[in-house]
Amino acid sequence: MKIGVVMDPIGSINIKKDSTFEMIWQAQLLGWEVEYLEMNDLSIDNGVAYGDVRALKTYQNADHWYDLGESRRVRLGDLDAILMRKDPPFDMEFVYSTYILELAEQQGALVVNSPKALRDCNEKAYCAWFPQVCPDTIITRKSSDFRAFLAKHDDIIVKPLDGMGGASIFRIQTGSPNVGVIIETLTHHESTYAMAQRYMPEIIDGDKRILMIHGEPVPYVLARLAAKGETRGNLAAGGRGVAQAISDTDRHIASIVGPELVKRGIMFAGLDVIGDRLTEINVTSPTCIKEINDAYGTNIALDLMRAIESQLVN
């Protein structure tokens, strides 16, 4: 097995928390050859997708966790699989990289997740395809729409469609003094789409991350509890992760979303749930593997590698 991994610079990661590192480690334990790429290593030459790869060897050593071989150019389609694990922002450069990876997919490699799905399934907006399990939600540019939504619910969350890690997420309540400037900032004076959702007080019990492997939920979730004085449970925003068994409600949401993920070629995803409502569907580089593994002795990255292997066999 030869697997390529497109990721952010490996020298900047925290191996104790990084889900991509755990995937690489498990692939390595299986005896797979791992090839390292960053986004600027992808290219197309006369209709062929190429990558300037470097052989990657990893270690469970916080002082020296990787070695890289010499760079060499390969046809991406000659790899068995490619993990696209580049973190957002989801900008046009990210979109361009998916064009190259889609060509690699056509030329023989299994790309996880599907490049087309990475483009089509915005992590915030894709929830609109599942209104039966989502809170009241609007996506709009118009200030009047946001104000009407606030008047309806009295307490709402507003956020950009291209953020990650809790960046630029605001809670607005009726009577808040900065409603206008928040809406102007998020929509760039009605020139950019943004999202609003009804505020859910169940956030006090955590913003749960359900990890999905080939349409099936992992049996444990990570509840991310907001820091004192915060609305956001994101770990990047200071939230604290508490692993727990998946609930019947979580399984119900997963049963609705899972088949659609499979249809779109999304092999690994993270569903964000507050209370009994789905708030986001993370498809670019979902995390929380290490926290759940540490709490329950699971091996989520190995389960993902086995799922990838089964697709290649089939």
Side-chain angles (χ1 to χ4, degrees):
M1 288 282 292
K2 294 182 180 180
I3 186 167
V5 183
V6 183
M7 61 184 291
D8 290 302
I10 193 169
S12 65
I13 66 174
N14 177 356
I15 67 170
K16 293 182 179 180
K17 298 288 186 181
D18 196 87
S19 293
T20 303
F21 182 84
E22 182 65 13
M23 294 175 189
I24 294 167
W25 180 252
Q26 292 302 325
Q28 186 174 295
L29 290 180
L30 288 171
W32 298 3
E33 295 179 28
V34 182
E35 303 286 5
Y36 171 84
L37 304 101
E38 296 177 23
M39 236 169 53
N40 63 353
D41 294 318
L42 305 175
S43 62
I44 295 174
D45 187 346
N46 287 318
V48 179
Y50 285 96
D52 294 328
V53 305
R54 287 174 283 177
L56 174 61
K57 178 76 172 176
T58 56
Y59 313 96
Q60 295 289 348
N61 181 340
D63 296 318
H64 181 84
W65 59 90
Y66 71 98
D67 284 320
L68 291 172
E70 294 295 320
S71 177
R72 65 193 195 284
R73 180 157 292 193
V74 302
R75 290 175 176 248
L76 291 176
D78 290 342
L79 298 173
D80 293 299
I82 301 170
L83 297 178
M84 178 45 160
R85 293 287 303 175
K86 174 69 178 69
D87 283 341
F90 187 92
D91 54 16
M92 284 308 299
E93 291 304 306
F94 189 97
V95 170
Y96 298 149
S97 74
T98 67
Y99 296 150
I100 301 172
L101 291 174
E102 187 168 5
L103 198 58
E105 189 176 54
Q106 293 174 7
Q107 293 168 355
L110 172 66
V111 182
V112 179
N113 289 315
S114 160
K116 184 177 188 301
L118 292 177
R119 293 195 301 271
D120 290 350
C121 300
N122 176 274
E123 303 192 329
K124 309 294 192 297
Y126 189 37
C127 289
W129 273 248
F130 308 97
Q132 66 272 44
V133 292
C134 291
D136 285 357
T137 301
I138 62 167
I139 297 172
T140 183
R141 290 181 171 191
K142 292 185 176 180
S143 174
S144 58
D145 290 343
F146 286 108
R147 290 181 181 277
F149 193 74
L150 175 60
K152 177 181 178 181
H153 293 289
D154 293 321
D155 199 347
I156 65 174
I157 295 293
V158 293
K159 51 189 172 181
L161 296 181
D162 61 352
M164 67 166 290
S168 300
I169 293 178
F170 297 91
R171 179 183 178 184
I172 305 176
Q173 297 171 294
T174 298
S176 294
N178 295 314
V179 173
V181 71
I182 291 172
I183 295 172
E184 289 169 6
T185 299
L186 284 178
T187 65
H188 299 280
H189 296 275
E190 299 192 334
S191 67
T192 301
Y193 284 104
M195 167 187 278
Q197 293 177 321
R198 172 180 63 83
Y199 174 75
M200 287 163 287
E202 297 90 342
I203 186 65
I204 193 171
D205 296 320
D207 176 3
K208 292 180 288 184
R209 167 63 56 85
I210 306 170
L211 293 177
M212 304 285 291
I213 298 177
H214 199 48
E216 295 295 329
V218 170
Y220 303 98
V221 304
L222 191 72
R224 296 163 296 175
L225 305 175
K228 186 177 181 180
E230 264 286 357
T231 299
R232 304 167 297 172
N234 308 74
L235 300 184
R240 175 173 58 90
V242 177
Q244 58 192 44
I246 192 170
S247 70
D248 290 342
T249 299
D250 297 336
R251 287 190 183 278
H252 172 66
I253 293 172
S255 72
I256 291 172
V257 180
E260 296 303 315
L261 298 178
V262 173
K263 286 180 186 177
R264 290 179 177 267
I266 301 172
M267 187 167 286
F268 188 62
L271 312 184
D272 289 351
V273 173
I274 299 174
D276 62 354
R277 300 285 98 183
L278 175 69
T279 60
E280 292 187 16
I281 302 174
N282 293 269
V283 301
T284 49
S285 56
T287 61
C288 300
I289 285 178
K290 291 285 288 181
E291 292 86 351
I292 296 173
N293 283 351
D294 290 345
Y296 285 101
T298 49
N299 196 333
I300 297 167
L302 177 60
D303 293 340
L304 176 60
M305 294 306 113
R306 291 302 191 194
I308 291 171
E309 191 174 45
S310 70
Q311 292 301 298
L312 294 171
V313 170
N314 293 333

mmCIF file of all heavy atoms in Angstrom, residues 9 34 72 81 90-91 106 112 118 139 151 159-160 181 194 224 245 256 265 278 283 289 292 296 314:
data_model
loop_
_atom_site.group_PDB
_atom_site.id
_atom_site.type_symbol
_atom_site.label_atom_id
_atom_site.label_comp_id
_atom_site.label_asym_id
_atom_site.label_seq_id
_atom_site.Cartn_x
_atom_site.Cartn_y
_atom_site.Cartn_z
ATOM 1 N N PRO A 9 2.335 21.896 7.219
ATOM 2 C CA PRO A 9 3.714 21.504 7.534
ATOM 3 C C PRO A 9 3.798 20.624 8.779
ATOM 4 O O PRO A 9 3.312 20.994 9.853
ATOM 5 C CB PRO A 9 4.411 22.845 7.747
ATOM 6 C CG PRO A 9 3.661 23.792 6.872
ATOM 7 C CD PRO A 9 2.227 23.347 6.958
ATOM 8 N N VAL A 34 4.282 5.696 3.249
ATOM 9 C CA VAL A 34 3.610 6.986 3.399
ATOM 10 C C VAL A 34 4.423 8.068 2.697
ATOM 11 O O VAL A 34 5.620 8.217 2.941
ATOM 12 C CB VAL A 34 3.424 7.349 4.888
ATOM 13 C CG1 VAL A 34 2.682 8.678 5.020
ATOM 14 C CG2 VAL A 34 2.673 6.244 5.628
ATOM 15 N N ARG A 72 10.797 13.747 -4.804
ATOM 16 C CA ARG A 72 10.765 13.153 -6.134
ATOM 17 C C ARG A 72 9.356 13.310 -6.690
ATOM 18 O O ARG A 72 8.383 13.350 -5.926
ATOM 19 C CB ARG A 72 11.172 11.676 -6.100
ATOM 20 C CG ARG A 72 10.231 10.784 -5.345
ATOM 21 C CD ARG A 72 10.840 9.416 -5.072
ATOM 22 N NE ARG A 72 9.835 8.448 -4.670
ATOM 23 C CZ ARG A 72 9.271 8.405 -3.480
ATOM 24 N NH1 ARG A 72 9.622 9.275 -2.547
ATOM 25 N NH2 ARG A 72 8.351 7.492 -3.213
ATOM 26 N N ALA A 81 -3.883 5.445 -2.309
ATOM 27 C CA ALA A 81 -4.830 6.363 -1.669
ATOM 28 C C ALA A 81 -4.125 7.668 -1.338
ATOM 29 O O ALA A 81 -2.901 7.714 -1.189
ATOM 30 C CB ALA A 81 -5.420 5.737 -0.407
ATOM 31 N N PHE A 90 -10.901 27.533 3.713
ATOM 32 C CA PHE A 90 -11.397 27.011 2.451
ATOM 33 C C PHE A 90 -11.437 28.180 1.467
ATOM 34 O O PHE A 90 -12.424 28.897 1.363
ATOM 35 C CB PHE A 90 -12.793 26.413 2.649
ATOM 36 C CG PHE A 90 -13.319 25.705 1.434
ATOM 37 C CD1 PHE A 90 -13.106 24.352 1.278
ATOM 38 C CD2 PHE A 90 -14.014 26.394 0.457
ATOM 39 C CE1 PHE A 90 -13.583 23.687 0.156
ATOM 40 C CE2 PHE A 90 -14.490 25.748 -0.669
ATOM 41 C CZ PHE A 90 -14.283 24.389 -0.823
ATOM 42 N N ASP A 91 -10.332 28.383 0.796
ATOM 43 C CA ASP A 91 -10.233 29.499 -0.148
ATOM 44 C C ASP A 91 -10.051 28.945 -1.558
ATOM 45 O O ASP A 91 -10.119 27.739 -1.783
ATOM 46 C CB ASP A 91 -9.083 30.429 0.245
ATOM 47 C CG ASP A 91 -7.755 29.686 0.391
ATOM 48 O OD1 ASP A 91 -7.642 28.524 -0.087
ATOM 49 O OD2 ASP A 91 -6.824 30.264 0.986
ATOM 50 N N GLN A 106 -9.369 10.260 -10.832
ATOM 51 C CA GLN A 106 -9.724 9.681 -12.128
ATOM 52 C C GLN A 106 -8.608 8.796 -12.662
ATOM 53 O O GLN A 106 -8.853 7.849 -13.417
ATOM 54 C CB GLN A 106 -10.040 10.789 -13.128
ATOM 55 C CG GLN A 106 -11.296 11.580 -12.812
ATOM 56 C CD GLN A 106 -11.491 12.753 -13.754
ATOM 57 O OE1 GLN A 106 -10.757 12.908 -14.740
ATOM 58 N NE2 GLN A 106 -12.474 13.590 -13.466
ATOM 59 N N VAL A 112 -9.384 10.580 -0.091
ATOM 60 C CA VAL A 112 -10.217 10.650 1.119
ATOM 61 C C VAL A 112 -10.018 12.019 1.767
ATOM 62 O O VAL A 112 -8.914 12.336 2.192
ATOM 63 C CB VAL A 112 -9.825 9.537 2.113
ATOM 64 C CG1 VAL A 112 -10.663 9.604 3.372
ATOM 65 C CG2 VAL A 112 -9.935 8.159 1.449
ATOM 66 N N LEU A 118 -15.444 17.759 -1.125
ATOM 67 C CA LEU A 118 -14.787 18.848 -0.394
ATOM 68 C C LEU A 118 -15.224 20.209 -0.930
ATOM 69 O O LEU A 118 -15.367 21.166 -0.174
ATOM 70 C CB LEU A 118 -13.265 18.710 -0.489
ATOM 71 C CG LEU A 118 -12.637 17.522 0.233
ATOM 72 C CD1 LEU A 118 -11.127 17.477 -0.027
ATOM 73 C CD2 LEU A 118 -12.908 17.575 1.730
ATOM 74 N N ILE A 139 -29.124 31.204 5.915
ATOM 75 C CA ILE A 139 -27.891 31.611 5.245
ATOM 76 C C ILE A 139 -28.277 32.740 4.306
ATOM 77 O O ILE A 139 -29.144 32.570 3.439
ATOM 78 C CB ILE A 139 -27.256 30.449 4.474
ATOM 79 C CG1 ILE A 139 -26.844 29.330 5.433
ATOM 80 C CG2 ILE A 139 -26.041 30.934 3.671
ATOM 81 C CD1 ILE A 139 -26.379 28.058 4.740
ATOM 82 N N ALA A 151 -35.256 38.758 15.812
ATOM 83 C CA ALA A 151 -36.556 39.121 16.389
ATOM 84 C C ALA A 151 -37.410 37.885 16.653
ATOM 85 O O ALA A 151 -38.168 37.827 17.627
ATOM 86 C CB ALA A 151 -37.282 40.086 15.458
ATOM 87 N N LYS A 159 -22.284 33.264 12.271
ATOM 88 C CA LYS A 159 -20.911 32.841 11.954
ATOM 89 C C LYS A 159 -20.671 32.878 10.450
ATOM 90 O O LYS A 159 -21.604 32.778 9.652
ATOM 91 C CB LYS A 159 -20.642 31.443 12.497
ATOM 92 C CG LYS A 159 -21.672 30.381 12.132
ATOM 93 C CD LYS A 159 -21.412 29.101 12.922
ATOM 94 C CE LYS A 159 -22.521 28.081 12.744
ATOM 95 N NZ LYS A 159 -22.284 26.854 13.528
ATOM 96 N N PRO A 160 -19.398 32.997 10.057
ATOM 97 C CA PRO A 160 -19.051 32.964 8.636
ATOM 98 C C PRO A 160 -19.130 31.534 8.110
ATOM 99 O O PRO A 160 -19.109 30.568 8.873
ATOM 100 C CB PRO A 160 -17.610 33.477 8.618
ATOM 101 C CG PRO A 160 -17.056 33.053 9.953
ATOM 102 C CD PRO A 160 -18.211 33.162 10.919
ATOM 103 N N VAL A 181 -22.977 46.202 13.781
ATOM 104 C CA VAL A 181 -21.578 46.055 13.395
ATOM 105 C C VAL A 181 -21.202 44.582 13.227
ATOM 106 O O VAL A 181 -20.376 44.244 12.363
ATOM 107 C CB VAL A 181 -20.657 46.754 14.421
ATOM 108 C CG1 VAL A 181 -20.615 46.014 15.747
ATOM 109 C CG2 VAL A 181 -19.242 46.903 13.854
ATOM 110 N N ALA A 194 -23.365 34.695 5.147
ATOM 111 C CA ALA A 194 -23.071 34.237 6.498
ATOM 112 C C ALA A 194 -24.268 33.424 6.991
ATOM 113 O O ALA A 194 -25.310 33.364 6.328
ATOM 114 C CB ALA A 194 -22.784 35.410 7.431
ATOM 115 N N ARG A 224 -17.250 18.929 23.753
ATOM 116 C CA ARG A 224 -16.317 20.038 23.952
ATOM 117 C C ARG A 224 -17.015 21.115 24.763
ATOM 118 O O ARG A 224 -17.972 21.740 24.287
ATOM 119 C CB ARG A 224 -15.836 20.549 22.594
ATOM 120 C CG ARG A 224 -15.038 19.478 21.831
ATOM 121 C CD ARG A 224 -14.903 19.771 20.374
ATOM 122 N NE ARG A 224 -16.194 19.773 19.711
ATOM 123 C CZ ARG A 224 -16.362 20.100 18.426
ATOM 124 N NH1 ARG A 224 -15.324 20.458 17.699
ATOM 125 N NH2 ARG A 224 -17.562 20.080 17.880
ATOM 126 N N ALA A 245 -19.828 8.081 25.824
ATOM 127 C CA ALA A 245 -20.483 7.142 24.921
ATOM 128 C C ALA A 245 -21.497 7.870 24.054
ATOM 129 O O ALA A 245 -22.129 8.840 24.483
ATOM 130 C CB ALA A 245 -21.166 6.042 25.728
ATOM 131 N N ILE A 256 -29.181 9.422 9.759
ATOM 132 C CA ILE A 256 -29.750 10.257 8.696
ATOM 133 C C ILE A 256 -28.651 10.801 7.788
ATOM 134 O O ILE A 256 -28.771 10.797 6.558
ATOM 135 C CB ILE A 256 -30.565 11.406 9.315
ATOM 136 C CG1 ILE A 256 -31.832 10.838 9.986
ATOM 137 C CG2 ILE A 256 -30.942 12.457 8.262
ATOM 138 C CD1 ILE A 256 -32.605 11.848 10.782
ATOM 139 N N GLY A 265 -18.930 10.168 -1.225
ATOM 140 C CA GLY A 265 -17.519 9.796 -1.124
ATOM 141 C C GLY A 265 -16.815 10.435 0.054
ATOM 142 O O GLY A 265 -15.591 10.629 0.018
ATOM 143 N N LEU A 278 -28.078 19.041 14.908
ATOM 144 C CA LEU A 278 -26.852 19.050 14.114
ATOM 145 C C LEU A 278 -26.518 20.478 13.713
ATOM 146 O O LEU A 278 -27.357 21.175 13.136
ATOM 147 C CB LEU A 278 -27.056 18.189 12.868
ATOM 148 C CG LEU A 278 -25.945 18.156 11.827
ATOM 149 C CD1 LEU A 278 -24.724 17.417 12.366
ATOM 150 C CD2 LEU A 278 -26.453 17.493 10.541
ATOM 151 N N VAL A 283 -15.846 18.089 6.969
ATOM 152 C CA VAL A 283 -15.369 17.123 5.977
ATOM 153 C C VAL A 283 -13.933 17.369 5.542
ATOM 154 O O VAL A 283 -13.330 16.511 4.892
ATOM 155 C CB VAL A 283 -16.288 17.108 4.724
ATOM 156 C CG1 VAL A 283 -17.714 16.761 5.119
ATOM 157 C CG2 VAL A 283 -16.243 18.445 3.978
ATOM 158 N N ILE A 289 -9.653 12.541 17.201
ATOM 159 C CA ILE A 289 -9.293 11.126 17.280
ATOM 160 C C ILE A 289 -8.532 10.820 18.567
ATOM 161 O O ILE A 289 -8.865 9.875 19.301
ATOM 162 C CB ILE A 289 -8.441 10.728 16.053
ATOM 163 C CG1 ILE A 289 -9.324 10.596 14.809
ATOM 164 C CG2 ILE A 289 -7.688 9.419 16.302
ATOM 165 C CD1 ILE A 289 -8.551 10.251 13.553
ATOM 166 N N ILE A 292 -10.524 10.861 22.023
ATOM 167 C CA ILE A 292 -11.410 9.706 22.224
ATOM 168 C C ILE A 292 -10.593 8.443 22.442
ATOM 169 O O ILE A 292 -10.897 7.630 23.327
ATOM 170 C CB ILE A 292 -12.366 9.553 21.028
ATOM 171 C CG1 ILE A 292 -13.294 10.778 20.939
ATOM 172 C CG2 ILE A 292 -13.190 8.280 21.155
ATOM 173 C CD1 ILE A 292 -14.169 10.806 19.699
ATOM 174 N N TYR A 296 -10.931 5.979 25.817
ATOM 175 C CA TYR A 296 -11.626 4.690 25.730
ATOM 176 C C TYR A 296 -10.806 3.562 25.113
ATOM 177 O O TYR A 296 -11.311 2.454 24.957
ATOM 178 C CB TYR A 296 -12.932 4.861 24.944
ATOM 179 C CG TYR A 296 -14.005 5.559 25.747
ATOM 180 C CD1 TYR A 296 -14.285 6.917 25.552
ATOM 181 C CD2 TYR A 296 -14.739 4.881 26.717
ATOM 182 C CE1 TYR A 296 -15.260 7.568 26.292
ATOM 183 C CE2 TYR A 296 -15.717 5.518 27.455
ATOM 184 C CZ TYR A 296 -15.975 6.854 27.245
ATOM 185 O OH TYR A 296 -16.940 7.492 27.979
ATOM 186 N N ASN A 314 -12.185 -3.664 -2.914
ATOM 187 C CA ASN A 314 -13.419 -3.766 -3.676
ATOM 188 C C ASN A 314 -13.307 -3.100 -5.055
ATOM 189 O O ASN A 314 -14.152 -3.234 -5.883
ATOM 190 C CB ASN A 314 -14.582 -3.138 -2.900
ATOM 191 C CG ASN A 314 -14.899 -3.951 -1.638
ATOM 192 O OD1 ASN A 314 -14.662 -5.142 -1.579
ATOM 193 N ND2 ASN A 314 -15.438 -3.264 -0.623
#
